[in-house]
Amino acid sequence: MLPIFLASILLFKDQDITGAVKLAVPSVQYRMNVASATSAPWVNANGWLIQRSPGKKVFYDLPKGGAELALAEAHAYNADAIVKIAPEDADAFAKMNAFLQQLGSAGPQVGNIAVTDDGSTQAGEGLNLLHRKNLIYRMVNGPDPKADLNIKVDKSINNPLDFAADVREKLTDDKRLIRVYGSAVVLANLTSDGGGRMRLHLINYGKRPVDGLRIRLRGSYVVKGVSIYESAESKVADFTNRDGGTEFSLPRAGLYSVIDLETK
Amino acid sequence: MQRRAFLQWSAVAPAAFATVTTDIPKYRTVSKYQPHPYKGFPASVVSVHSAKSIDEATEKVDPQTVRQMIERGMTALTGESTPAAAWKRFFAPSDVVGIKVNCSGAPRIMSHPVVVADIVRNLLAVGVKPEQIYIYERFPDQLESVKYGKYIDQKVNIHAVEMSRGSILNYDPETFVEVNFFGEEDTRSNLVRLVSEKFTKIINVPNMKDHGAAGVTGCLKNIAYGNFSNVARSHAHEKTNTKTFIGTLASMEPLKSKTVLNIMDGLKGIWHGGPFQLKNEFGFFPKKMMFGTDMVAMDRLLIDVIENKRKAEHARSVWDRSRDQLITSRSSDPNKNQFIREPGHIEYAAGLGLGEYDINKIRLQEFEI
């Protein structure tokens, strides 16, 4: 067994994966044959399942070309992951792993929606949609009075899309921790060092970089660092603090972008 | 243009429509730009027709006739005795001018390059340097299909905004309309950055077209949907939000104040299936151009052009809101449509102060070349 990064992401070497939660291959399905403004691409992402599985190992069985995205996802959600890659992806794995080592630990999950989960399949689909809609939540065992919204996910969820829309409406867009403009395939996560520093993770599930991503964060921050995989870019553009929020652009968002922020 | 920082956070709803609040989405407009006091020629429209402007069989446009039409239109609009004086009413050598063409139906229907070339010629005559002129459109594939470069000085800029479809890189992140129509995640439509940061003036060059969602597409829709990102979401469903969205976008500063002149290219038009030309027979030849500073007045007249042609072709009225016409995809049947058309967007825009809708108050001058 080869320790790769802070012992949380391990390259699969025939070790026992019994009990590990098997994850989907991170990817995006473009629905090119559906010509309408609502035909948003479908993102296969696992952040919700990683969050739902604290203390459990997760397992990625990846096809060729899948290593970098999976590693980014595992890192952004603090996964205890075992990653099986195609042999051709060894270099890509090493490259992303080096990038993650530079970043250091993601830190504890942040979220202003407190979620209790009955563990059902339907609840899982609800979590998946919250995740896909960049509604940033954290799992709790019971109601949290400090959260902006407390919700239960359970088997009563018939339509996950409607469920996520309902959560969004109840929270209101003004209270959302993160808004992503300019892409339907970039999912965001927010972690913290427990003090005044926050870390924004932007994972681009699409096959191409996104030119001109705009981010809005609730709260006033200053940017302390920018790290973009396979990019020397170290600054954000068009930064502004206004109306209780922080906004900036990334001229080009690659596969994984990490923005370190400090409370203003 | 004054740039004193201020924000418009209000929901845009004109007094005339204040009681119909259920039909008006909650728009939040954010801009630091203030309106310019320039008034132009309210409620005035000049229409110039020439039977020899375009050959119906070959669709070849006659440059000399177009030149005469533009000369007549501009002098009549301004009351000036020469074309040079007329153009100087709008433009100075220091201006950076954006020419907002319409290429959404290109290469079959677009702001014709002969028309655009003559506009460029007039700007150059005023003293505007070619490097300060930008022919622009949102999508590169559509723009490039017209090949404007063959018709104009090579130093004139030809600029496509979205070099990759959906990218907001070339839009102004601080000038936008925010609205949630149907639960979409990206709720912002941002203004083209060149408009807010570079251009001092804009010439709007739409066509005369039917539009499946908006009813017709002329000045207002070309300037609105052609200058903002993420606008197709307004017609994601059969009941669209085009009625209120078009005027809301067109009234945003600095776009509204910088759009000083509209030259509507109606040499060729589309009476069904717009903004595209789905079939040859949906094209027609009004052989006219309209000139004005009042987008609402020009579009009000456009409704009649399209409506009369549709009537002659025994097609449904653009005002028909019956559901039996609705189908789920584009159709070459002129009595079927994906959407309930919203030609009422023009009257709505009038309520936002964008111009005169009352046909009895529009001063139309008509000329024949």
Side-chain angles (χ1 to χ4, degrees):
Chain A
M1 196 178 296
L2 177 67
I4 301 297
F5 171 61
L6 300 177
S8 63
I9 299 177
L10 303 177
L11 190 59
F12 179 69
K13 295 275 186 183
D14 296 325
Q15 63 265 53
D16 183 11
I17 55 167
T18 306
V21 177
K22 185 167 183 190
L23 303 181
V25 176
S27 61
V28 62
Q29 289 172 273
Y30 293 98
R31 295 178 287 178
M32 302 299 282
N33 58 333
V34 184
S36 87
T38 56
S39 59
W42 180 263
V43 177
N44 291 309
N46 298 296
W48 67 276
L49 194 46
I50 297 170
Q51 277 188 259
R52 200 188 202 191
S53 313
K56 290 186 182 173
K57 285 199 184 311
V58 296
F59 175 61
Y60 287 98
D61 187 356
L62 301 165
K64 182 183 171 186
E68 291 157 301
L69 191 52
L71 260 67
E73 184 180 78
H75 179 265
Y77 292 91
N78 295 297
D80 190 2
I82 298 169
V83 183
K84 183 179 180 185
I85 63 170
E88 305 94 310
D89 284 347
D91 289 348
F93 184 97
K95 196 159 131 187
M96 175 57 87
N97 188 55
F99 178 71
L100 300 182
Q101 283 183 319
Q102 280 184 335
L103 292 175
S105 171
Q109 178 71 41
V110 171
N112 62 339
I113 303 170
V115 178
T116 53
D117 174 16
D118 76 349
S120 64
T121 303
Q122 296 94 323
E125 287 306 308
L127 292 173
N128 189 359
L129 262 293
L130 294 181
H131 180 63
R132 287 220 26 237
K133 298 290 181 184
N134 284 322
L135 290 157
I136 309 299
Y137 63 87
R138 56 193 158 79
M139 309 301 292
V140 293
N141 294 321
D144 178 356
K146 290 181 182 171
D148 288 319
L149 184 66
N150 280 277
I151 59 170
K152 285 183 192 172
V153 291
D154 57 31
K155 59 187 176 186
S156 69
I157 296 173
N158 290 318
N159 184 328
L161 201 60
D162 288 348
F163 166 75
D166 187 49
V167 170
R168 177 182 174 186
E169 191 174 334
K170 283 177 179 158
L171 180 66
T172 74
D173 280 354
D174 285 345
K175 287 187 178 173
R176 291 178 65 176
L177 293 183
I178 304 172
R179 298 297 305 276
V180 176
Y181 302 99
S183 174
V185 297
V186 172
L187 299 192
N189 193 30
L190 204 56
T191 57
S192 160
D193 69 352
R197 288 184 84 109
M198 306 285 271
R199 175 165 276 189
L200 172 66
H201 307 260
L202 299 167
I203 304 173
N204 176 4
Y205 286 82
K207 292 180 171 63
R208 295 185 300 271
V210 175
D211 292 330
L213 196 69
R214 186 73 175 165
I215 301 296
R216 178 178 173 85
L217 294 160
R218 184 179 170 204
S220 292
Y221 297 100
V222 290
V223 172
K224 302 301 284 185
V226 177
S227 305
I228 301 174
Y229 182 57
E230 292 188 315
S231 168
E233 187 63 63
S234 60
K235 290 180 181 173
V236 298
D238 297 309
F239 179 91
T240 181
N241 279 126
R242 193 172 64 200
D243 308 305
T246 300
E247 293 198 15
F248 54 81
S249 300
L250 292 180
R252 173 160 274 215
L255 188 151
Y256 187 29
S257 307
V258 175
I259 319 297
D260 286 318
L261 305 137
E262 198 166 270
T263 306
K264 201 173 177 185
Chain B
M1 187 69 55
Q2 294 185 19
R3 294 188 55 179
R4 196 183 73 190
F6 85 114
L7 296 174
Q8 299 167 274
W9 289 97
S10 59
V12 176
F17 296 89
T19 55
V20 198
T21 51
T22 52
D23 261 0
I24 303 175
K26 187 179 177 186
Y27 292 110
R28 185 169 74 98
T29 61
V30 178
S31 172
K32 62 186 175 185
Y33 299 95
Q34 285 196 319
H36 191 277
Y38 175 75
K39 285 189 170 30
F41 302 94
S44 287
V45 179
V46 178
S47 178
V48 184
H49 177 267
S50 175
K52 58 187 180 181
S53 59
I54 185 168
D55 183 297
E56 293 188 21
T58 64
E59 299 193 8
K60 189 174 179 195
V61 170
D62 180 49
Q64 280 307 313
T65 304
V66 165
R67 180 172 181 158
Q68 291 171 31
M69 293 169 82
I70 291 178
E71 285 178 355
R72 182 65 60 86
M74 291 297 289
T75 52
L77 178 68
T78 59
E80 298 286 353
S81 57
T82 66
W87 283 88
K88 283 179 184 171
R89 288 284 290 267
F90 295 97
F91 305 102
S94 60
D95 277 323
V96 179
V97 183
I99 301 174
K100 175 61 189 72
V101 291
N102 187 305
C103 301
S104 59
R108 304 189 76 180
I109 175 79
M110 65 275 166
S111 310
H112 200 279
V114 168
V115 172
V116 175
D118 201 70
I119 291 169
V120 169
R121 182 185 64 77
N122 279 288
L123 290 171
L124 295 174
V126 167
V128 180
K129 291 187 176 68
E131 299 91 335
Q132 294 167 211
I133 300 171
Y134 290 75
I135 296 166
Y136 75 105
E137 177 60 295
R138 286 179 61 205
F139 305 125
D141 53 336
Q142 296 172 352
L143 183 64
E144 287 160 11
S145 72
V146 183
K147 305 191 187 324
Y148 286 109
K150 285 186 177 177
Y151 295 78
I152 53 166
D153 187 315
Q154 293 304 300
K155 292 178 187 164
V156 171
N157 301 281
I158 300 174
H159 179 81
V161 178
E162 291 186 24
M163 290 311 291
S164 57
R165 191 65 80 106
S167 165
I168 59 172
L169 182 64
N170 291 325
Y171 292 91
D172 182 344
E174 298 192 46
T175 308
F176 57 87
V177 175
E178 184 145 34
V179 60
N180 183 346
F181 287 130
F182 59 88
E184 68 272 30
E185 182 57 28
D186 192 340
T187 49
R188 287 185 182 177
S189 291
N190 293 75
L191 180 64
V192 169
R193 198 186 275 260
L194 276 175
V195 172
S196 57
E197 297 183 357
K198 189 127 190 158
F199 299 159
T200 58
K201 306 270 175 62
I202 295 169
I203 305 173
N204 185 20
V205 191
N207 291 118
M208 293 184 175
K209 295 194 285 189
D210 159 80
H211 191 275
V216 298
T217 169
C219 295
L220 287 162
K221 186 166 180 302
N222 189 49
I223 209 68
Y225 282 32
N227 278 297
F228 284 86
S229 64
N230 192 28
V231 291
R233 63 196 171 108
S234 78
H235 41 292
H237 305 290
E238 61 191 31
K239 173 70 178 76
T240 78
N241 290 288
T242 51
K243 178 179 173 182
T244 55
F245 199 33
I246 293 171
T248 301
L249 295 172
S251 64
M252 277 284 286
E253 293 294 351
L255 178 64
K256 179 184 173 187
S257 290
K258 288 184 178 180
T259 306
V260 297
L261 179 63
N262 303 275
I263 298 178
M264 189 181 287
D265 170 4
L267 304 181
K268 179 183 177 183
I270 296 291
W271 61 269
H272 182 74
F276 313 110
Q277 184 175 1
L278 301 177
K279 291 171 75 176
N280 282 340
E281 50 264 48
F282 293 156
F284 73 121
F285 298 92
K287 299 183 179 177
K288 65 166 73 171
M289 296 174 68
M290 289 203 287
F291 302 81
T293 61
D294 186 328
M295 290 190 283
V296 173
M298 292 173 75
D299 281 0
R300 171 62 190 86
L301 295 167
L302 172 64
I303 293 177
D304 292 345
V305 172
I306 300 300
E307 185 71 349
N308 290 340
K309 178 62 180 172
R310 288 182 65 85
K311 189 178 286 186
E313 297 288 345
H314 307 291
R316 285 177 190 255
S317 165
V318 296
W319 297 100
D320 190 330
R321 300 182 70 81
S322 54
R323 296 189 57 81
D324 67 341
Q325 68 183 305
L326 294 172
I327 51 171
T328 54
S329 59
R330 287 185 197 285
S331 171
S332 56
D333 179 346
N335 285 306
K336 297 292 182 186
N337 197 25
Q338 284 176 280
F339 310 103
I340 295 171
R341 288 184 176 83
E342 298 286 1
H345 76 266
I346 299 166
E347 185 173 13
Y348 185 89
L352 295 174
L354 284 164
E356 180 57 61
Y357 183 77
D358 185 345
I359 196 77
N360 296 313
K361 293 179 181 173
I362 297 171
R363 294 182 300 279
L364 174 63
Q365 301 178 68
E366 294 182 280
F367 296 93
E368 186 71 35
I369 298 282

